[in-house]
Amino acid sequence: MRLPRSVETAEVGGKRVLVRADLNVPLACRQVADDTRIRAAIPTLRLLLDRGAARVSVCSHLGRPKTEADRETYSMAPVERRLRELLSDDRLQVLENTRFQPGETKNDEGYAHELADGNDLYVNDAFGSAHRAHSSTEAVAHLLPAYAGLLLLAELDHLGRLLGEVKRPFVLIAGGAKVDDKLAVLEHLGGRADRVLIGGKMAEQVREHNPLSYPVELPVDVVAARAFEENAESRVASVDAVPDGWLGLDIGPATAAAFGAIVREARTIFWNGPMGVFEWSRFAAGTRAVAEAVAAADAYSVVGGGDSVRAVQELGLAGSVSWVSTGGGASLELLEGRDLPGVAAIPEG
Ligand code: 3PG
Ligand code: MG
């Protein structure tokens, strides 16, 4: 794999550095609900400050803001508060959500110039966004001397191992709700795995019309709810006996047991996406069972994706997993063998 040049090789003393981090964290009630991605950004920021950078300006997107009202919902303020608790330094600046600028997602050169202006160096540490060719991840890398941050490099190293010779069985577990983002990459990635387990909202789509060319394991039962509500009436149902209009909000106990047994026997594991709406405790058991099986397996295990990472963190199991990736879509595209635009834009190391 082509590796971009490391921030460790950059002359940063006295320089003004623009850092693109992926601080796209889950929020709840305007608070950071999981700070994994913020903590993961610290080593690069600290390295730059320790090596005497004159100023470090961090930018990131947060959510997918669309309306005016979203400007409040997706303000970086709570993220900045948490970051400053972890790293207080007068030279540190946090810019507002890059996606408040319409040019960002169009990889607009004009917005890239705005970001680059007044800076001497650019460091991309946003592995989770490296699959996006946006102004702050791609265009700006051509306007300043560009380097890869420590997190970005660590991610390429750990995920890259899944692309080489792996110990088998290699089990892939996929779930979550960003279905369209994932199906195309699953098609390519799943072919490398011995077993592919699918839960979450994704399972419903795959069951209706399996767009994948290989066989997958789908839930045999679900925790069905009358409505998409935390306290909705719910019951365990076989997948072919879900009452009309009810929704499967978690995999059921039989599925959790079957998936768990497969996962515990694995020697290599990649898991992306929760099995259900695990933020609501009544629909968390399936995700918990999978997380516990991943942690218990004697395997090289990689967990990717904001929500599955949060599940592993909340269950206190992150220490029992080989690598907790900060990238969801980015890790999938990397494992598909695609070039990540955010990585490709940085000169080789
Ligand atoms: C993620 O959480 O997957 C990354 O931060 C990228 O976000 P996006 O899917 O909205 O581009
Ligand atoms: Mg994503």
Side-chain angles (χ1 to χ4, degrees):
M1 197 195 312
R2 175 194 174 280
L3 288 177
R5 67 182 177 185
S6 169
V7 63
E8 287 186 290
T9 67
E11 273 298 333
V12 303
K15 300 281 172 58
R16 296 159 302 176
V17 187
L18 174 70
V19 177
R20 174 48 155 107
D22 188 332
L23 306 179
N24 181 30
V25 293
L27 299 171
C29 308
R30 307 265 153 103
Q31 301 275 350
V32 172
D34 174 55
D35 67 359
T36 304
R37 280 178 163 175
I38 302 176
R39 284 185 288 107
I42 300 288
T44 292
L45 301 176
R46 202 185 292 284
L47 176 137
L48 292 166
L49 293 166
D50 286 352
R51 294 194 178 177
R55 191 186 68 202
V56 176
S57 304
V58 193
C59 68
S60 175
H61 76 286
L62 181 60
R64 293 178 174 179
K66 288 180 185 78
T67 63
E68 268 306 303
D70 284 348
R71 289 190 165 256
E72 222 184 303
T73 315
Y74 295 114
S75 155
M76 290 293 285
V79 174
E80 173 166 4
R81 266 199 304 279
R82 182 68 190 124
L83 178 58
R84 290 197 186 280
E85 281 167 15
L86 295 164
L87 184 63
S88 85
D89 192 298
D90 290 345
R91 291 167 295 160
L92 188 66
Q93 261 191 6
V94 181
L95 307 185
E96 195 38 283
N97 192 340
T98 53
R99 287 196 186 163
F100 287 173
Q101 302 301 321
E104 163 74 336
T105 55
K106 301 183 185 106
N107 202 18
D108 175 67
E109 184 107 358
Y111 178 48
H113 274 286
E114 276 179 43
L115 287 168
D117 268 3
N119 288 294
D120 306 304
L121 288 182
Y122 168 73
V123 175
N124 189 353
D125 207 22
F127 174 72
S129 307
H131 59 317
R132 306 290 183 215
H134 293 171
S135 298
S136 68
T137 60
E138 209 281 337
V140 71
H142 303 291
L143 303 177
L144 292 169
Y147 295 85
L150 302 175
L151 173 65
L152 179 60
L153 289 165
E155 292 274 10
L156 296 177
D157 174 36
H158 282 95
L159 289 161
R161 291 187 210 175
L162 298 177
L163 290 171
E165 287 292 311
V166 295
K167 290 196 176 151
R168 293 184 181 275
F170 176 14
V171 175
L172 184 103
I173 313 154
K178 284 185 187 174
V179 179
D180 295 338
D181 281 9
K182 291 181 191 174
L183 278 181
V185 286
L186 262 179
E187 173 59 48
H188 298 268
L189 180 59
R192 293 183 49 82
D194 298 298
R195 307 289 285 274
V196 177
L197 316 179
I198 298 190
K201 195 171 164 190
M202 179 174 297
E204 290 160 44
Q205 284 211 357
V206 172
R207 189 188 312 281
E208 262 170 45
H209 48 95
N210 183 1
L212 302 165
S213 65
Y214 52 79
V216 298
E217 321 284 335
L218 290 168
V220 292
D221 61 347
V222 296
V223 181
R226 190 186 281 281
F228 191 80
E229 283 165 15
E230 186 165 4
N231 297 310
E233 182 190 343
S234 70
R235 72 170 84 123
V236 171
S238 144
V239 287
D240 41 27
V242 175
D244 270 355
W246 286 46
L247 305 158
L249 297 190
D250 192 12
I251 57 173
T255 305
F259 281 13
I262 293 169
V263 170
R264 269 188 295 273
E265 293 303 308
R267 302 300 309 279
T268 304
I269 299 167
F270 179 68
W271 177 25
N272 175 296
M275 297 292 103
V277 189
F278 80 96
E279 305 90 307
W280 295 339
S281 59
R282 295 169 59 231
F283 307 105
T287 300
R288 187 182 316 122
V290 166
E292 283 169 353
V294 171
D298 178 18
Y300 180 68
S301 52
V302 178
V303 179
D307 288 329
S308 26
V309 167
R310 186 174 156 203
V312 164
Q313 297 284 355
E314 281 177 6
L315 294 165
L317 296 170
S320 310
V321 170
S322 309
W323 181 250
V324 178
S325 175
T326 54
S331 54
L332 288 174
E333 291 199 24
L334 180 77
L335 292 173
E336 183 193 337
R338 283 213 239 169
D339 277 343
L340 303 179
V343 175
I346 303 169
E348 198 164 351

